[in-house]
Amino acid sequence: MTMRTVYVNGEYLPENEAKISIFDRGFLMADGVYEVTSVLDGKLIDFDGHAKRLERSLNELDMPHPDVLPDLLEVHRELVRLNGIEEGMIYLQITRGAPGDRDFVFPDPETTKPTVVLFTQNKPGLADSPAAKKGIKVISIEDQRWARRDIKTVQLLFPSMGKMMAKAAGVDDAWMVEDGAVTEGTSNNAYIIKNNTIITRHLGNEILHGITRAAVLRFAREAQMQVEERSFTIAEAQDADEAFITSASTFVMPVVEVDGVAVGNGTPGPVAARLREIYLDESRKVAI
């Protein structure tokens, strides 16, 4: 594997020279936030949406804004250039920093600056994913995450466990369920389609306010598709005509099986396919 150039606190470094303090609160407390921006044709998809959500996450956790915040677009572009990324992702993480010792109390922002890390992931064929043509299978699991899922924090232990439960069950992913209703996938928003209506959970503290979600719903409405933002059950999903997920790295991905039951005829449906096509076309047009 080629050695990547990564960004750490103002410096572009070979990945094997990048270092973070053992006292960093991201490491000790999961006291950090992150964003993942996709790259297509060497350009950033939905960058502004990710930048705005990042700022919101920082504000919700009362985390100081790093000095580099206004220049993040330039940093992203430079990493794309240095690493020759045509298709892939850029991961960005900001933590409350490394105060020099472990303490539950937030460090003084005057003396402890946030830690900022970015790295690229090269994923040729990201847009032309074979999975999108055959669809993915999901199981349902109980949602055991903390109550503020609208903040994109680095505490991803339960979603990771969910991915492993799916793997153990021989499927691709898991949808989390709380109080009888689907919240979201382990790293994506969840949708069903019934009688040409797209149904996805309403925004709130229970789910991440997906950047891809917002764009896909906007495009769907522009294409005169009906959209209903409400919670739905696993039974409704099994009885749906189609189902799909959205995220920055999967775009629009059809779901063809839920808890062993085929959705529709068990193959990707026309609405999800059309939404994927619209999303990729429109996003490419405005990529920066």
Side-chain angles (χ1 to χ4, degrees):
M1 189 178 149
T2 347
M3 183 75 71
R4 283 175 287 193
T5 298
V6 301
Y7 176 96
V8 182
N9 295 333
E11 287 187 282
Y12 294 93
L13 301 163
E15 61 181 275
N16 64 340
E17 289 176 27
K19 292 179 177 61
I20 296 289
S21 165
I22 62 161
F23 299 114
D24 193 275
R25 286 182 59 93
F27 174 56
L28 296 178
M29 305 274 186
D31 188 0
V33 298
Y34 78 103
E35 284 292 336
V36 180
T37 304
S38 281
V39 178
L40 290 180
D41 317 314
K43 291 181 173 181
L44 300 158
I45 300 289
D46 251 333
F47 177 82
D48 287 345
H50 289 286
K52 283 193 185 80
R53 184 172 63 183
L54 175 70
E55 209 166 311
R56 179 183 181 273
S57 293
L58 291 169
N59 293 342
E60 290 293 311
L61 294 178
D62 203 17
M63 200 178 286
H65 288 199
D67 297 338
V68 74
L69 204 61
D71 306 316
L72 281 178
L73 177 57
E74 284 69 32
V75 176
H76 277 70
R77 283 180 162 158
E78 184 63 1
L79 283 175
V80 167
R81 188 186 70 79
L82 290 169
N83 293 291
I85 307 292
E86 271 302 302
E87 285 196 335
M89 273 106 76
I90 298 189
Y91 179 91
L92 154 73
Q93 179 166 312
I94 300 174
T95 78
R96 208 178 298 270
D101 207 347
R102 181 178 180 276
D103 193 344
F104 276 84
V105 176
F106 291 173
D108 179 355
E110 290 302 312
T111 53
T112 300
K113 295 299 169 203
T115 298
V116 184
V117 171
L118 290 93
F119 58 79
T120 56
Q121 292 183 312
N122 193 30
K123 305 262 183 182
L126 188 67
D128 200 27
S129 158
K133 293 176 183 63
K134 64 179 176 60
I136 64 166
K137 298 176 179 182
V138 302
I139 54 166
S140 64
I141 60 173
E142 188 190 341
D143 198 337
Q144 296 185 345
R145 298 170 299 163
W146 82 316
R148 289 302 307 275
R149 301 146 197 172
D150 55 306
I151 308 171
K152 199 169 174 74
T153 70
V154 298
Q155 46 177 314
L156 297 169
L157 186 56
F158 189 71
S160 292
M161 291 171 76
K163 293 269 189 208
M164 296 311 290
M165 290 178 217
K167 199 174 173 182
V171 299
D172 305 290
D173 206 351
W175 278 5
M176 294 177 280
V177 175
E178 187 171 61
D179 300 329
V182 174
T183 47
E184 57 193 333
T186 55
S187 57
N188 41 67
N189 291 116
Y191 309 72
I192 57 173
I193 300 166
K194 187 71 178 177
N195 302 327
N196 287 319
T197 299
I198 298 162
I199 301 161
T200 191
R201 194 180 177 104
H202 49 284
L203 294 178
N205 291 351
E206 303 79 25
I207 67 166
L208 184 72
H209 301 188
I211 301 307
T212 309
R213 174 193 184 280
V216 166
L217 293 184
R218 189 173 76 248
F219 297 144
R221 288 182 172 117
E222 283 168 8
Q224 307 300 309
M225 295 179 185
Q226 291 300 311
V227 175
E228 219 176 290
E229 293 184 60
R230 64 163 175 87
S231 53
F232 60 86
T233 65
I234 288 294
E236 275 186 280
Q238 292 171 328
D239 187 45
D241 303 325
E242 296 183 43
F244 64 95
I245 57 168
T246 63
S247 74
S249 56
T250 60
F251 311 119
V252 177
M253 180 66 67
V255 171
V256 294
E257 185 186 289
V258 177
D259 279 341
V261 176
V263 176
N265 62 5
T267 59
V271 180
R274 180 77 188 111
L275 281 172
R276 183 180 177 87
E277 189 183 14
I278 294 171
Y279 177 76
L280 286 169
D281 287 352
E282 296 300 319
S283 299
R284 278 187 152 122
K285 280 181 202 165
V286 295
I288 54 175

